[in-house]
Amino acid sequence: MRPFTFFERLSKAFHDYPSLSKILIVSTISGGGLIVYSEANASYSNNGVETETRKKKVVLLGTGWAGASFLKTLNNSSYEVQVISPRNYFAFTPLLPSVTCGTVEARSVVEPIRNIGRKNVEMSFLEAECFKIDPRTQSNTFNIPGVEENCHFLKEVEDAQRIRSTVIDSFEKASLPGLNEEERKRMLHFVVVGGGPTGVEFASELHDFVNEDLVKLYPKAKNLVQITLLEAADHILTMFDKRITEFAEEKFTRDGIDVKLGSMVVKVNDKEISAKTKGGEFSTIPYGMIVWSTGIGTRPVIKDFMKQIGQGNRHALATDEWLRVEGCDNIYALGDCATINQRKVMEDIAAIFKKADKENSGTLTMNEFQEVMSDICDRYPQVQLYLKSKGMHGITDLLKEAQAENGSNKSVELDIEELKSALCQVDSQVKLLPATGQVAAQQGTYLAKCFDRMDVCEKNPEGPIRIRGEGRHRFRPFRYRHLGQFAPLGGEQTAAQLPGDWVSIGHSSQWLWYSVYASKQVSWRTRVLVVSDWMRRFIFGRDSSRI
Amino acid sequence: MRPFTFFERLSKAFHDYPSLSKILIVSTISGGGLIVYSEANASYSNNGVETETRKKKVVLLGTGWAGASFLKTLNNSSYEVQVISPRNYFAFTPLLPSVTCGTVEARSVVEPIRNIGRKNVEMSFLEAECFKIDPRTQSNTFNIPGVEENCHFLKEVEDAQRIRSTVIDSFEKASLPGLNEEERKRMLHFVVVGGGPTGVEFASELHDFVNEDLVKLYPKAKNLVQITLLEAADHILTMFDKRITEFAEEKFTRDGIDVKLGSMVVKVNDKEISAKTKGGEFSTIPYGMIVWSTGIGTRPVIKDFMKQIGQGNRHALATDEWLRVEGCDNIYALGDCATINQRKVMEDIAAIFKKADKENSGTLTMNEFQEVMSDICDRYPQVQLYLKSKGMHGITDLLKEAQAENGSNKSVELDIEELKSALCQVDSQVKLLPATGQVAAQQGTYLAKCFDRMDVCEKNPEGPIRIRGEGRHRFRPFRYRHLGQFAPLGGEQTAAQLPGDWVSIGHSSQWLWYSVYASKQVSWRTRVLVVSDWMRRFIFGRDSSRI
């Protein structure tokens, strides 16, 4: 069967549901972009009679973190969800580095997407092969020559399986007769590019696999294996606390993993990788296998869509704070295919002033301001971040400070220029959300909850006041709550950074890691499988059969 | 790296061990042919001094049933085993049909070959990619056009994995919009060719997978799925007792599996399979997927070797009763690449007579004959099979019967013509061993035990008298002991046929099947995994993620 192209599928879906009027986009970490359209209008059946019971249609593209948590949360029988994805399963991506070395089996981290939705929401699934076209371009190769052809990526379950068999294969090849020591060393030289959590976790998993399991079966290989980690920045794990970075770098050095900081890859061929240090020094190293782990590129299907809607010069779809794609009605985008374009306070400052100045007096009293304050904080989360960074307790502190600076400390009212000067620094706190599964999952849950309460909130909007319009927004904007992050470092040691800058490194956080990852599994089946895989690994070690 | 060819590898192995003087071949069910050479001569080190401690080299080709049981049994530190195989693991092939539907995971039925050998036997392993060239030609396609291109086979772990994802894929494809009912039906029409144990087990696994798990996720597909089993003979499972065959055919009919007996496949194209009934009637059926399961072809590497040693017109390597390849010193062949050429009594009748007639009198007394009787029964197992089939207790009964027939019933001595007429029917009992894992495993164990006692038996031979030579054979010839056979029929029902024609069908033999297959696992790791896979299936069902 000829695979459908993306747009063929889309038009097919339209054809099957001719009364569709609303569209949403969702995208997920390592899951492919996805579009959701929903039909909210009452539609007409063949005989022209209005059928009120017709369900609202939602089309969801992709089955990654955002899509899966959307499906898991959506709990309103008035929707009918059509899922389109190249994969009929959700993959628990944080365990992919474990899959590369067989600590956890591939099948233990996947769950059929048909099992994830709730019973009372009608769901159907279409497998769209089009997404598979050139999956390699998903990773961000910075157009460095030779990367796409010679490197492994680590985004999908298949990548992890391929890496696993390539690692075993390297050991088998290096055991063949008729090779000199140099060739064997080259084959057993594993290079990891990128010192983010995924690259670091892969390097430490590989180190454990080699030292705990493979050396027993390939005793001669022990002194030939080398793991090198190349990082362009000055440190690995830069998104973590400095203590974690230092601990990780020291542990890797102790473990014999060669961490080359400030090393930018410039070229890769089939046997050698060339890097440049910050000082401009070039070096070329022979390698056996490279795993490329430096952030996420844009999927072709999202690129195409971005061109269509005039966002062609961006890296990801721009959405508003409610995850709606800018310029598109009823298209929502989530996860790593999208970035939220947080509205700036200074762009809206005149409208804010006008909204707050109910009496239209040209000046704001503190009372007037306090009335809209919570709405402003809801609408512009950067305000609170800024207050927090300054150690202030409320927005009035900020206004008072601004008045003091302007020398008008006696006044209890402020004009628009004073408001501007008070808030001029606030927008510096606007931050892009990281492209992690945690963000995508929270977005999926948020959107599903909005959909669930769509009718209720249409009547009783619960969002902040519309600054440039009348009434209120239906929903509160999406707000990300960072729950912490783990960096497994091998040897049963994990670094954990929890909210409030609580840092923990060692065996205790490894156990925290085990329990968090077990509890986050989407189904009891995968939970049992993952835990039994860990137990199996403790008892029998990792399997090294090349299948 | 360019893959080595088989002969390059062989000459490399020779080059690495220049003092090799003995060679063996072994082959294994679904495991590729294998050669073992052993060096029994004392060799000279560089300085010309004889080094008596030099180990005897054995080269073993293949890591299937024969090879694995050879490695598992060999327990003599004077050997050094070099294993060459395309796979670095042993696969428990009887569970492959379970792998096709995810009842058991692929990784649960494999064990790295490096883990299988005993600690005191030095072992090394070479991965020989050459075996992978056109693996499809392993299956016996009878040169029917289109079979190789369009059918799935079920010999290797990879085949089982491919079948699994193709089954899921068929369901996904049949769920796509824009197809008519006929096309959906075609996609969900699964055809199994061959009614042997593997084909029957796959059909029943697939039936259970569809009816227990897939219908929940693809409710619309239930009425579209069809499983058809084509068998050229008049019944399925012909190697089993008639009661089992009947039960299986009835159960399949009840289950809605369409069993077409007496149907010979004549042609396959990418969408249709054509078959001919015995009456000459042609029929062409559209299909979605075909699994071809009709016995074993010869691997190209064995074919090449057979041509070299002048056995080019055979289907398998001919060996003697000690598993030595005919015409080759120190090459042994085991498993499905070989057949034992049992020596016929009538070919040796003159030598037997001469050997027994110690006094060279031209006639044999009963006493003389009884002295060599046990040796003859050892050397020619067909004698005992013949006696059993005739209900006789000893060879003397046979001789007496022959004398009675010849009218010389008073004589207590017999001449060569009388001996000939007594034994003339005996060779009809020579039977080929089936190409099963059970035979291969017993051959591997037998050969390893011979190797273990090589030195002892060289001095004190324990085999039968050499009929056409002096002294005794070193070892007793290989003798196969049939331990019974299972045929899982789905729905927790298994047919079992144990020695003594003990037949059992139903849930009790399913539990027997579970316990036998669990106990036969080569390692505790795979045992735990297989049992936990079964438990997981009971609790959560089979996984339908397409990975």
Side-chain angles (χ1 to χ4, degrees):
Chain A
M1 212 179 89
R2 191 177 66 86
F4 290 84
T5 71
F6 174 64
F7 291 106
E8 275 175 324
R9 269 202 194 290
L10 215 57
S11 58
K12 254 183 187 302
F14 265 117
H15 183 259
D16 291 354
Y17 305 109
S19 55
L20 293 178
S21 67
K22 301 200 172 181
I23 301 193
L24 328 173
I25 293 213
V26 185
S27 166
T28 65
I29 183 95
S30 104
L34 45 159
I35 302 200
V36 189
Y37 15 78
S38 84
E39 103 97 301
N41 297 344
S43 62
Y44 293 85
S45 64
N46 284 341
N47 52 14
V49 179
E50 197 170 320
T51 52
E52 299 258 44
T53 54
R54 188 85 179 250
K55 292 194 172 186
K56 286 175 264 179
K57 304 278 177 4
V58 177
V59 177
L60 170 70
L61 295 199
T63 50
W65 277 99
S69 60
F70 177 83
L71 282 177
K72 211 180 166 172
T73 311
L74 190 70
N75 192 13
N76 186 325
S77 58
S78 67
Y79 291 102
E80 187 186 328
V81 185
Q82 166 83 71
V83 184
I84 304 181
S85 174
R87 306 176 313 179
N88 74 354
Y89 55 85
F90 161 74
F92 191 86
T93 47
L95 286 176
L96 285 188
S98 301
V99 172
T100 58
C101 296
T103 309
V104 165
E105 289 302 327
R107 208 163 279 280
S108 308
V109 303
V110 301
E111 182 68 20
I113 201 73
R114 287 188 174 76
N115 280 342
I116 286 177
R118 287 179 183 249
K119 287 226 171 65
N120 60 342
V121 181
E122 204 176 305
M123 192 191 100
S124 57
F125 177 83
L126 291 187
E127 203 177 66
E129 298 87 344
C130 64
F131 287 95
K132 277 188 244 165
I133 295 166
D134 204 359
R136 292 207 137 189
T137 54
Q138 281 159 42
S139 270
N140 197 349
T141 63
F142 306 105
N143 292 323
I144 298 168
V147 172
E148 274 194 35
E149 300 87 326
N150 298 302
C151 297
H152 286 264
F153 301 94
L154 187 42
K155 298 280 170 210
E156 308 274 353
V157 178
E158 288 86 351
D159 297 337
Q161 289 175 311
R162 254 193 306 269
I163 289 174
R164 181 171 184 179
S165 67
T166 310
V167 169
I168 309 280
D169 218 29
S170 304
F171 278 84
E172 289 297 352
K173 279 186 182 160
S175 307
L176 293 176
L179 297 171
N180 61 35
E181 178 118 342
E182 204 177 312
E183 281 175 286
R184 286 184 215 275
K185 272 193 173 167
R186 181 184 68 73
M187 285 169 180
L188 294 175
H189 184 209
F190 300 95
V191 178
V192 183
V193 181
T198 308
V200 165
E201 191 177 346
F202 170 69
S204 43
E205 277 279 349
L206 182 63
H207 173 264
D208 285 1
F209 186 30
V210 169
N211 287 280
E212 290 170 12
D213 302 293
L214 291 179
V215 288
K216 289 181 206 147
L217 301 182
Y218 307 83
K220 287 174 198 161
K222 192 182 178 168
N223 299 319
L224 304 171
V225 181
Q226 176 63 46
I227 302 171
T228 301
L229 179 68
L230 299 178
E231 166 59 52
D234 291 334
H235 288 287
I236 60 172
L237 296 177
T238 43
M239 64 292 292
F240 282 91
D241 190 277
K242 218 179 134 187
R243 285 165 286 176
I244 290 178
T245 299
E246 272 171 22
F247 179 87
E249 287 173 2
E250 273 168 30
K251 181 172 187 308
F252 275 18
T253 312
R254 269 201 316 279
D255 286 349
I257 297 173
D258 189 9
V259 181
K260 287 194 197 299
L261 300 171
S263 269
M264 284 242 310
V265 175
V266 289
K267 205 179 70 183
V268 181
N269 67 27
D270 62 336
K271 286 192 176 169
E272 288 172 332
I273 179 167
S274 305
K276 190 175 78 173
T277 64
K278 287 209 170 160
E281 206 179 307
F282 277 89
S283 65
T284 294
I285 337 168
Y287 74 88
M289 177 185 177
I290 302 177
V291 172
W292 192 268
S293 168
T294 58
I296 294 141
T298 315
R299 279 179 178 264
V301 61
I302 299 296
K303 271 240 158 82
D304 287 349
F305 179 69
M306 278 159 61
K307 270 181 208 153
Q308 281 197 320
I309 60 169
Q311 296 193 3
N313 54 349
R314 295 178 53 90
H315 285 298
L317 281 163
T319 72
D320 66 13
E321 299 88 334
W322 290 268
L323 312 182
R324 291 176 297 205
V325 174
E326 286 186 352
C328 301
D329 253 4
N330 293 307
I331 305 189
Y332 294 76
L334 297 79
D336 62 6
C337 80
T339 49
I340 296 174
N341 229 350
Q342 173 61 49
R343 190 89 197 155
K344 306 283 191 306
V345 170
M346 292 312 281
E347 284 169 358
D348 291 346
I349 195 79
I352 293 172
F353 189 89
K354 206 172 156 208
K355 202 73 167 183
D357 182 19
K358 278 188 185 153
E359 292 165 1
N360 229 343
S361 62
T363 54
L364 283 186
T365 62
M366 275 298 165
N367 266 355
E368 278 178 326
F369 196 77
Q370 235 143 14
E371 264 176 47
V372 295
M373 201 179 76
S374 79
D375 285 310
I376 287 172
C377 287
D378 251 17
R379 183 72 187 80
Y380 308 96
Q382 61 264 44
V383 174
Q384 257 179 338
L385 290 173
Y386 183 76
L387 292 175
K388 205 179 157 195
S389 76
K390 290 278 173 193
M392 292 173 179
H393 292 292
I395 208 162
T396 45
D397 292 351
L398 194 64
L399 296 178
K400 279 177 189 156
E401 195 193 65
Q403 285 177 324
E405 270 172 24
N406 293 343
S408 56
N409 53 346
K410 278 173 207 155
S411 160
V412 285
E413 301 203 343
L414 32 71
D415 59 21
I416 184 147
E417 290 309 317
E418 284 172 323
L419 187 67
K420 272 187 193 170
S421 96
L423 297 175
C424 63
Q425 295 295 316
V426 161
D427 290 326
S428 65
Q429 291 294 322
V430 171
K431 270 175 191 146
L432 282 185
L433 295 177
T436 63
Q438 202 178 141
V439 170
Q442 288 185 19
Q443 290 181 335
T445 307
Y446 164 82
L447 196 64
K449 283 186 178 159
C450 290
F451 274 48
D452 279 349
R453 291 173 298 117
M454 189 78 86
D455 290 340
V456 179
C457 293
E458 204 77 62
K459 285 168 201 147
N460 305 306
E462 58 187 29
I465 288 174
R466 287 178 199 272
I467 298 294
R468 289 156 299 154
E470 288 309 305
R472 293 184 161 271
H473 291 279
R474 279 178 305 181
F475 306 108
R476 296 167 70 95
F478 172 72
R479 195 72 73 81
Y480 173 59
R481 239 182 97 214
H482 186 62
L483 299 174
Q485 205 172 359
F486 289 105
L489 301 173
E492 293 297 306
Q493 300 211 313
T494 284
Q497 184 165 5
L498 302 180
D501 281 331
W502 191 75
V503 165
S504 155
I505 305 172
H507 295 292
S508 58
S509 35
Q510 176 79 24
W511 285 99
L512 184 64
W513 182 88
Y514 282 131
S515 43
V516 169
Y517 277 24
S519 70
K520 288 280 174 197
Q521 295 298 317
V522 282
S523 75
W524 272 101
R525 192 189 66 88
T526 57
R527 193 165 297 139
V528 168
L529 288 182
V530 163
V531 172
S532 61
D533 282 352
W534 285 331
M535 276 166 26
R536 185 210 62 207
R537 204 267 292 170
F538 274 112
I539 303 170
F540 301 109
R542 300 167 184 86
D543 180 35
S544 63
S545 305
R546 198 173 51 74
I547 60 166
Chain B
M1 215 181 87
R2 191 176 66 85
F4 288 83
T5 71
F6 173 63
F7 292 105
E8 275 177 323
R9 272 204 191 285
L10 215 58
S11 59
K12 255 181 186 302
F14 265 115
H15 183 260
D16 291 353
Y17 306 109
S19 56
L20 295 177
S21 65
K22 301 197 172 182
I23 302 191
L24 328 171
I25 293 211
V26 186
S27 166
T28 66
I29 184 93
S30 104
L34 45 157
I35 300 202
V36 189
Y37 12 77
S38 82
E39 105 97 299
N41 297 343
S43 63
Y44 294 86
S45 64
N46 284 343
N47 53 13
V49 179
E50 195 172 322
T51 52
E52 299 257 43
T53 55
R54 187 85 180 249
K55 292 196 173 184
K56 285 174 268 181
K57 304 280 180 354
V58 178
V59 176
L60 171 71
L61 295 199
T63 49
W65 277 99
S69 60
F70 177 84
L71 282 177
K72 208 178 171 179
T73 313
L74 190 70
N75 191 14
N76 185 324
S77 59
S78 67
Y79 292 102
E80 188 185 327
V81 185
Q82 167 83 72
V83 184
I84 305 180
S85 175
R87 306 177 312 180
N88 74 354
Y89 55 85
F90 161 73
F92 191 85
T93 47
L95 285 177
L96 285 188
S98 301
V99 172
T100 57
C101 295
T103 310
V104 165
E105 288 303 327
R107 208 164 279 280
S108 307
V109 303
V110 302
E111 181 68 21
I113 201 72
R114 287 186 173 79
N115 280 341
I116 287 178
R118 288 176 182 251
K119 286 230 169 61
N120 61 342
V121 181
E122 203 176 304
M123 191 192 99
S124 56
F125 177 83
L126 291 186
E127 203 178 63
E129 297 89 344
C130 63
F131 287 94
K132 275 188 249 167
I133 295 166
D134 203 358
R136 294 207 137 188
T137 55
Q138 281 158 46
S139 270
N140 197 348
T141 62
F142 306 105
N143 293 321
I144 297 168
V147 173
E148 274 195 34
E149 299 86 327
N150 298 303
C151 296
H152 285 264
F153 301 95
L154 186 43
K155 299 280 170 210
E156 308 273 354
V157 178
E158 288 86 350
D159 297 336
Q161 290 174 309
R162 253 193 307 269
I163 289 175
R164 182 173 184 177
S165 66
T166 309
V167 169
I168 310 280
D169 218 28
S170 304
F171 278 84
E172 290 298 353
K173 279 185 182 161
S175 308
L176 292 176
L179 297 172
N180 60 34
E181 178 119 341
E182 205 177 312
E183 282 176 285
R184 287 184 214 274
K185 272 193 173 168
R186 182 186 68 72
M187 285 168 180
L188 293 175
H189 184 208
F190 300 95
V191 178
V192 183
V193 181
T198 308
V200 165
E201 191 176 346
F202 170 68
S204 42
E205 279 278 350
L206 182 62
H207 174 264
D208 286 1
F209 186 29
V210 170
N211 287 279
E212 291 170 11
D213 302 293
L214 291 181
V215 288
K216 289 180 207 150
L217 301 183
Y218 307 84
K220 288 176 199 159
K222 193 182 177 171
N223 299 318
L224 304 171
V225 180
Q226 175 62 47
I227 303 173
T228 302
L229 180 68
L230 299 177
E231 166 59 51
D234 292 333
H235 288 286
I236 60 171
L237 297 176
T238 45
M239 64 293 291
F240 281 91
D241 190 276
K242 220 179 133 186
R243 284 165 287 175
I244 291 178
T245 300
E246 273 170 21
F247 179 87
E249 287 172 3
E250 273 167 29
K251 181 174 186 307
F252 275 17
T253 311
R254 266 202 317 279
D255 285 350
I257 297 174
D258 189 10
V259 181
K260 288 192 197 297
L261 301 171
S263 269
M264 285 241 310
V265 176
V266 289
K267 206 178 72 186
V268 181
N269 68 27
D270 61 337
K271 287 194 175 167
E272 288 172 330
I273 178 167
S274 305
K276 191 175 76 172
T277 64
K278 286 205 170 160
E281 205 179 308
F282 278 89
S283 64
T284 294
I285 337 168
Y287 73 88
M289 176 186 179
I290 303 178
V291 172
W292 192 267
S293 168
T294 60
I296 294 142
T298 315
R299 279 178 177 265
V301 60
I302 299 295
K303 271 240 159 83
D304 287 349
F305 179 69
M306 278 159 63
K307 271 181 205 152
Q308 281 197 321
I309 61 170
Q311 296 193 4
N313 53 349
R314 295 178 51 92
H315 285 296
L317 281 162
T319 72
D320 66 12
E321 299 86 336
W322 291 267
L323 311 181
R324 292 174 298 204
V325 174
E326 285 185 355
C328 302
D329 255 4
N330 294 308
I331 304 189
Y332 294 75
L334 296 78
D336 62 6
C337 80
T339 49
I340 297 174
N341 230 350
Q342 172 63 47
R343 191 86 195 155
K344 307 283 189 306
V345 170
M346 293 311 281
E347 285 169 356
D348 291 346
I349 195 79
I352 293 172
F353 189 89
K354 211 176 150 201
K355 203 68 163 188
D357 183 19
K358 277 187 184 156
E359 291 164 5
N360 225 342
S361 62
T363 54
L364 284 186
T365 63
M366 278 296 168
N367 265 357
E368 278 178 327
F369 195 78
Q370 234 142 18
E371 264 178 44
V372 295
M373 202 180 75
S374 78
D375 285 309
I376 286 173
C377 288
D378 252 18
R379 183 72 186 79
Y380 307 97
Q382 61 265 46
V383 174
Q384 259 179 336
L385 289 174
Y386 184 75
L387 292 175
K388 205 180 156 194
S389 75
K390 290 279 173 189
M392 294 174 180
H393 292 292
I395 206 164
T396 45
D397 292 350
L398 194 63
L399 298 177
K400 278 176 191 156
E401 193 192 65
Q403 285 178 325
E405 268 171 27
N406 294 343
S408 56
N409 54 345
K410 278 172 208 157
S411 161
V412 286
E413 302 205 338
L414 33 71
D415 60 21
I416 183 147
E417 291 309 318
E418 284 172 324
L419 186 67
K420 271 186 192 169
S421 93
L423 298 175
C424 63
Q425 295 296 318
V426 160
D427 289 327
S428 64
Q429 292 293 323
V430 171
K431 272 176 190 145
L432 283 184
L433 295 178
T436 63
Q438 200 178 141
V439 170
Q442 289 185 19
Q443 289 180 335
T445 308
Y446 164 82
L447 196 66
K449 283 186 178 160
C450 291
F451 274 48
D452 279 349
R453 291 171 301 117
M454 190 78 88
D455 291 340
V456 179
C457 293
E458 204 76 62
K459 287 169 200 146
N460 304 304
E462 55 187 33
I465 289 173
R466 285 178 201 272
I467 299 294
R468 289 155 300 154
E470 290 307 307
R472 291 182 162 274
H473 291 278
R474 282 179 303 182
F475 306 108
R476 296 165 72 97
F478 170 73
R479 194 73 72 81
Y480 172 59
R481 243 184 94 212
H482 185 63
L483 299 174
Q485 205 173 356
F486 288 104
L489 301 174
E492 294 296 307
Q493 300 211 311
T494 283
Q497 184 166 8
L498 302 180
D501 281 330
W502 190 76
V503 166
S504 154
I505 305 172
H507 294 294
S508 58
S509 35
Q510 176 78 23
W511 284 99
L512 184 66
W513 182 88
Y514 282 132
S515 43
V516 169
Y517 277 23
S519 71
K520 287 281 174 197
Q521 294 298 318
V522 283
S523 74
W524 271 101
R525 191 188 65 88
T526 56
R527 193 165 297 140
V528 168
L529 289 183
V530 163
V531 172
S532 59
D533 282 351
W534 286 330
M535 277 166 25
R536 186 210 59 208
R537 204 266 293 167
F538 275 111
I539 302 169
F540 301 110
R542 300 166 184 87
D543 180 36
S544 64
S545 306
R546 198 172 53 75
I547 59 167

